[in-house]
Amino acid sequence: RKEVEQDPGPFNVPEGATVAFNCTYSNSASQSFFWYRQDCRKEPKLLMSVYSSGNEDGRFTAQLNRASQYISLLIRDSKLSDSATYLCVVNPFSSGSARQLTFGSGTQLTVLP
Amino acid sequence: DAMVIQNPRYQVTQFGKPVTLSCSQTLNHNVMYWYQQKSSQAPKLLFHYYDKDFNNEADTPDNFQSRRPNTSFCFLDIRSPGLGDAAMYLCATSRATSLGQGVEKLFFGSGTQLSVL
């Protein structure tokens, strides 16, 4: 089982739609969780951290479910500029790896006009 | 305002010809990473430095080496590039507050796209 798993998509949604991505992680001791966004042939950029209580940043909402070991990202009112690959990132925080973040393979989103 | 700078943006090398990719940072972060990313795949950690301490991933081929002469600079050396080493190489930095604590977010450079002919 992969440490971090995501549905690769692609998700093709019309402008204005709401779309949600899930990501599961295997290490129950994981401490930190993030969503990164990566445009084609560009570097990943931090979209938002994911906190235990859930957090919101404009049209983006991230949630953490420790019991089921998944995190989610909800995008409301999708814009064309939201088209990108969304990477789920987990700090497994096991011995010797506290400084290493584990990336999922990413979920591709295309927002259509 | 670039905080993590990678050079060059594109690198073409020949099969078996050594190549060096460079990364510099102005953030004074104590951790620097090298990731390899192939098309439609997750970034794969090759190694990282915590200050001067080098940490190699178990599955990183010996063909890949790294140097960190000071806090600001880190280099990736590929001794004998093969066709399978063609990829985007991403340098990233972060700040780890202590040995036992995890890092927060990563700051990535814009990457070096390596082609092997």
Side-chain angles (χ1 to χ4, degrees):
Chain A
R1 183 184 173 188
K2 290 183 181 178
E3 290 186 61
V4 178
E5 288 201 72
Q6 295 182 249
D7 181 343
F11 284 66
N12 298 318
V13 303
E15 255 187 304
T18 295
V19 62
F21 309 135
N22 281 338
C23 165
T24 59
Y25 58 94
S26 60
N27 186 342
S28 59
S30 297
Q31 297 289 315
S32 308
F33 309 89
F34 310 89
W35 284 102
Y36 278 72
R37 169 198 169 124
Q38 187 172 26
D39 294 293
C40 188
R41 297 189 178 275
K42 298 285 183 69
E43 74 275 20
K45 293 185 179 178
L46 180 66
L47 180 65
M48 57 198 305
S49 303
V50 186
Y51 302 119
S52 296
S53 55
N55 48 300
E56 188 174 308
D57 182 3
R59 298 181 293 108
F60 298 85
T61 300
Q63 293 201 316
L64 167 63
N65 185 318
R66 284 193 184 274
S68 300
Q69 294 182 209
Y70 77 84
I71 66 173
S72 64
L73 177 68
L74 182 77
I75 305 175
R76 290 182 299 277
D77 189 22
S78 300
K79 312 291 185 190
L80 296 177
S81 57
D82 293 335
S83 298
T85 296
Y86 291 82
L87 299 166
C88 171
V89 183
V90 175
N91 184 335
F93 203 60
S94 56
S95 175
S97 67
R99 300 182 295 275
Q100 300 163 12
L101 301 183
T102 301
F103 285 76
S105 299
T107 297
Q108 186 181 339
L109 171 67
T110 301
V111 181
L112 304 169
Chain B
D1 276 77
M3 296 180 288
V4 182
I5 303 165
Q6 289 188 246
N7 284 305
R9 182 71 179 89
Y10 298 94
Q11 176 74 56
V12 180
T13 190
Q14 291 179 327
F15 183 94
K17 184 175 181 182
V19 66
T20 295
L21 310 182
S22 71
C23 178
S24 63
Q25 55 135 337
T26 59
L27 297 164
N28 204 34
H29 283 170
N30 54 354
V31 190
M32 293 188 77
Y33 307 80
W34 279 106
Y35 285 87
Q36 179 194 64
Q37 187 177 26
K38 297 185 177 181
S39 181
S40 301
Q41 295 183 20
K44 177 182 180 300
L45 182 63
L46 296 174
F47 22 61
H48 75 277
Y49 278 93
Y50 177 78
D51 291 326
K52 293 184 178 181
D53 292 334
F54 177 70
N55 297 268
N56 198 33
E57 292 300 296
D59 58 353
T60 297
D62 292 340
N63 197 25
F64 292 87
Q65 304 286 319
S66 185
R67 297 170 282 137
R68 189 180 186 187
N70 53 53
T71 300
S72 301
F73 287 87
C74 196
F75 300 96
L76 169 63
D77 300 308
I78 308 177
R79 293 193 296 187
S80 181
L83 298 179
D85 297 329
M88 171 81 88
Y89 289 88
L90 294 160
C91 173
T93 72
S94 68
R95 189 174 64 88
T97 54
S98 70
L99 190 61
Q101 290 187 346
V103 299
E104 290 300 320
K105 60 183 177 180
L106 297 180
F107 291 78
F108 282 91
S110 55
T112 294
Q113 184 68 48
L114 178 69
S115 299
V116 181
L117 303 180

